[in-house]
Amino acid sequence: MTGPRGLNEMNATDGRGGHAERASGAAPDRDAERDHDQDVDEALALVREASAGYEDGQGKRPGAGRPGAGRPGERRPGERHAPHADQHRPDNPRPDNPHPTNPHPRHQGTPWPQARDRAARAAESVARRSPASVPLDQALGLVLAAPLTALTDLPSFDTSAMDGWAVAGPGPWKVRDEGVLAGQSGADALADGEAMPIATGARIPREVTAVIRSEHGRTDSKGRLHAEREVMHGQDIRPRGQECRSGDQLLPARFSVTPAVLGLAAAAGYDSLPVVPRPRVEVLVLGDELLTEGLPREGLIRDALGPMLPYWLRALGAEVIAVRRLGDDAKKLREAVAGSQAELVVTTGGTASGPVDHVHPTLRALGAELLVDGVEVRPGHPMLLARLDERRHLVGLPGNPLAAVSGLLTLAEPVLRTLSGRIAPVPYLAPTRDEIHGHPHDTRLVPVVLRAEPQLVAVPLHYNGPAMLRGIAASDGLAVVPPGGAKPGQELEILDLPWTLPSSPTTHDTNSAEGCFT
Ligand SMILES: Nc1nc2c(c(=O)[nH]1)N[C@H]1C(S)=C(S)[C@@H](COP(=O)(O)OP(=O)(O)OC[C@H]3O[C@@H](n4cnc5c(N)ncnc54)[C@H](O)[C@@H]3O)O[C@H]1N2
Ligand code: MOO
């Protein structure tokens, strides 16, 4: 196999992947499992899944679709356990917590679909930035702030559709010496019985009744033109206004500017377009353990999110004004969030309840309102959304890289969609080729490749653990797997990856004064 799809297929069928990662994820003790600890439960299931894939090489996942699985929103008391959220809800002591002495009681997150809706709606209250007029070459990927209305008829003059002769009246025709090329104007009107050479795109002289293609006519020794097939009135002439009249609406407001839209706008007379400005986003990368270059060493790892998020965010419509690495410094985080000029601050890491997980305490200290505090989705359940003030929000992405992608698509994408005036994509479904193991109570987002076999199918990829990017990097999208999993042939919603949109972040401040903590 060659090309990306071939690579994807290797990933899809190589069952060895993820074995070590999943095995390490299974380390927690059996007590936790007995306590219905979902993380351990899931990790163990993934180990089984990986082992099965290793043995049969098919990537099949026996044992999926556990009994008793519920839908989002259906939950038995005390089944969740991301502790940070409850710690931040002293007013909500969770009487159903079966572990009153446990300092990390489980918490209820928001079901995945509701979390996305809430994120989209949260940004509706933010005052939109005024539409901007931007030159065509800067408009790609933005959203039209007003309908695209033709500034001219198209074509704006009668045009020859073919190379050949413009003729007037019935033939044979006396051919003039001079012809007319595209871009020329001012050719004299033809008299009946006259013809003149004409090029595709040239303006049709007055009184012309048809164009004869060069391969459909011949000139005799006296220089007269004869048609070799019947000539229809108006043939191969594109009449003025055939595509649109000046003032016609070509596209509605909120339409995304694609390369084709740029071409249409230029043809219709535009030099610049009215667009919704990109919402400004600042990325704050947290973690003392992160290196910005070289090989991982001595417990330090490479920052995988700083290089990835600005491009991804831009593809989602954002203008990334800065990427700052703050280490695990609570004061710096607080100052950075408080002082950010961005409509959306995106943090990475620090969402859980470890000793240096500063996101929740920072939000509390700043008086932010937590709109979503944990989501029933794997990976990524500690993700959060907060309103900082009336015009700024913060999305906290978990540090595990695939968990961060999950948070990006679950919370940041809807916020950015609303802020940038985009229309929600129409969800589309594809049947899964293979069985996909499900979380008992949470939605799973699983990297897939799409194949035509001969109908469209989604092939789930391995290497889909929370800390892994290998699956998503080789994927076409993420399948939304409901609680309980999916059987072969079951239709699943697919979240597309926005790679077709333009990508090049404006500012990538990796060496700012805050520096990198390496
Ligand atoms: N007691 C509990 N611990 C954890 C829970 C839990 O519910 N209870 N949830 C786990 C889950 S699930 C996730 S996801 C993580 C989320 O943790 P944080 O958001 O606080 O992230 P960190 O602890 O800072 O990092 C987690 C992991 O990811 C690595 N990381 C962080 N940033 C980057 C980066 N830019 N590039 C690459 N890798 C990164 C970091 O080194 C850690 O390995 O919490 C679990 N713990
Ligand atoms: O399960 Mo966490 O949310 O690694 O992603």
Side-chain angles (χ1 to χ4, degrees), residues 199-223:
T200 305
R203 182 175 194 149
I204 298 285
R206 279 178 293 122
E207 310 304 337
V208 168
T209 52
V211 167
I212 297 173
R213 302 178 188 194
S214 45
E215 59 272 34
H216 295 164
R218 63 176 170 79
T219 46
D220 61 22
S221 54
K222 295 178 183 156

Side-chain angles (χ1 to χ4, degrees), residues 285-489:
V285 178
L286 314 181
D288 281 344
E289 73 276 32
L290 302 176
L291 296 166
T292 53
E293 59 186 17
L295 293 174
R297 60 176 184 271
E298 296 158 5
L300 303 175
I301 60 166
R302 283 292 296 274
D303 168 23
L305 298 176
M308 172 174 83
L309 289 178
Y311 296 92
W312 205 317
L313 286 160
R314 181 155 174 106
L316 293 173
E319 175 192 354
V320 179
I321 58 173
V323 178
R324 299 168 66 190
R325 290 184 170 80
L326 304 181
D328 283 318
D329 186 320
K331 185 162 174 281
K332 280 188 173 165
L333 176 61
R334 183 171 167 170
E335 287 170 0
V337 174
S340 178
Q341 296 301 308
E343 280 94 43
L344 180 64
V345 177
V346 173
T347 58
T348 69
T351 58
S353 59
V356 292
D357 288 337
H358 299 307
V359 174
H360 280 92
T362 300
L363 293 173
R364 270 205 309 279
L366 292 174
E369 180 190 356
L370 272 174
L371 303 176
V372 176
D373 189 10
V375 175
E376 293 178 348
V377 66
R378 304 292 166 135
H381 72 90
M383 67 180 72
L384 60 88
L385 169 67
R387 188 195 309 278
L388 297 172
D389 53 42
E390 68 283 349
R391 59 162 209 92
R392 299 184 310 143
H393 287 81
L394 179 144
V395 167
L397 302 178
N400 280 323
L402 190 60
V405 169
S406 169
L408 187 70
L409 298 183
T410 300
L411 297 177
E413 186 276 330
V415 169
L416 291 171
R417 190 202 311 146
T418 301
L419 289 176
S420 60
R422 283 162 208 271
I423 295 162
V426 178
Y428 76 93
L429 304 173
T432 175
R433 190 192 69 178
D434 306 329
E435 185 160 7
I436 305 181
H437 173 79
H439 188 275
H441 313 290
D442 292 357
T443 299
R444 278 189 76 198
L445 300 181
V446 176
V448 293
V449 288
L450 298 173
R451 290 216 202 123
E453 293 191 346
Q455 304 298 323
L456 182 71
V457 290
V459 181
L461 300 178
H462 295 303
Y463 310 108
N464 57 29
M468 297 177 180
L469 290 174
R470 189 171 171 185
I472 186 81
S475 74
D476 297 318
L478 287 162
V480 180
V481 181
K487 302 276 180 231

Side-chain angles (χ1 to χ4, degrees), residues 61-406:
R61 299 162 188 207
R66 296 183 193 181
R71 292 199 299 269
E74 292 176 0
R75 195 184 314 98
R76 283 157 283 176
E79 285 184 333
R80 303 302 312 279
H81 89 132
H84 51 272
D86 276 352
Q87 286 178 330
H88 302 159
R89 288 178 185 154
D91 54 332
N92 177 13
R94 292 293 310 280
D96 57 353
N97 174 17
H99 307 285
T101 55
N102 183 349
H104 301 302
R106 295 173 179 181
H107 91 123
Q108 296 185 331
T110 305
W112 184 77
Q114 281 91 321
R116 301 189 81 214
D117 288 349
R118 203 177 293 173
R121 278 202 318 273
E124 282 170 4
S125 61
V126 176
R128 289 269 175 78
R129 293 171 66 191
S130 309
S133 177
V134 301
L136 290 189
D137 63 4
Q138 292 169 31
L140 191 64
L142 294 168
V143 169
L144 292 176
L148 187 75
T149 303
L151 300 178
T152 176
D153 297 343
L154 281 181
S156 54
F157 46 81
D158 294 345
T159 308
S160 176
M162 297 289 163
D163 298 322
W165 297 269
V167 300
W173 299 271
K174 183 173 182 312
V175 182
R176 287 192 189 169
D177 290 339
E178 79 282 12
V180 56
L181 299 174
Q184 294 179 338
S185 62
D188 290 341
L190 293 188
D192 261 12
E194 274 193 319
M196 74 188 305
I198 195 163
T200 305
R203 182 175 194 149
I204 298 285
R206 279 178 293 122
E207 310 304 337
V208 168
T209 52
V211 167
I212 297 173
R213 302 178 188 194
S214 45
E215 59 272 34
H216 295 164
R218 63 176 170 79
T219 46
D220 61 22
S221 54
K222 295 178 183 156
R224 281 185 312 179
L225 172 68
H226 301 263
E228 292 185 325
R229 46 180 79 180
E230 189 185 357
V231 176
M232 311 292 288
H233 188 89
Q235 75 180 29
D236 285 332
I237 296 175
R238 293 193 184 121
R240 173 179 180 161
Q242 184 185 50
E243 186 173 359
C244 65
R245 288 288 179 190
S246 181
D248 284 355
Q249 180 176 308
L250 303 175
L251 294 169
R254 301 184 72 191
F255 208 89
S256 285
V257 179
T258 62
V261 171
L262 289 177
L264 175 64
Y270 283 86
D271 302 320
S272 57
L273 285 174
V275 291
V276 181
R278 290 177 180 275
R280 285 168 299 219
V281 175
E282 183 163 4
V283 179
L284 306 177
V285 178
L286 314 181
D288 281 344
E289 73 276 32
L290 302 176
L291 296 166
T292 53
E293 59 186 17
L295 293 174
R297 60 176 184 271
E298 296 158 5
L300 303 175
I301 60 166
R302 283 292 296 274
D303 168 23
L305 298 176
M308 172 174 83
L309 289 178
Y311 296 92
W312 205 317
L313 286 160
R314 181 155 174 106
L316 293 173
E319 175 192 354
V320 179
I321 58 173
V323 178
R324 299 168 66 190
R325 290 184 170 80
L326 304 181
D328 283 318
D329 186 320
K331 185 162 174 281
K332 280 188 173 165
L333 176 61
R334 183 171 167 170
E335 287 170 0
V337 174
S340 178
Q341 296 301 308
E343 280 94 43
L344 180 64
V345 177
V346 173
T347 58
T348 69
T351 58
S353 59
V356 292
D357 288 337
H358 299 307
V359 174
H360 280 92
T362 300
L363 293 173
R364 270 205 309 279
L366 292 174
E369 180 190 356
L370 272 174
L371 303 176
V372 176
D373 189 10
V375 175
E376 293 178 348
V377 66
R378 304 292 166 135
H381 72 90
M383 67 180 72
L384 60 88
L385 169 67
R387 188 195 309 278
L388 297 172
D389 53 42
E390 68 283 349
R391 59 162 209 92
R392 299 184 310 143
H393 287 81
L394 179 144
V395 167
L397 302 178
N400 280 323
L402 190 60
V405 169
S406 169

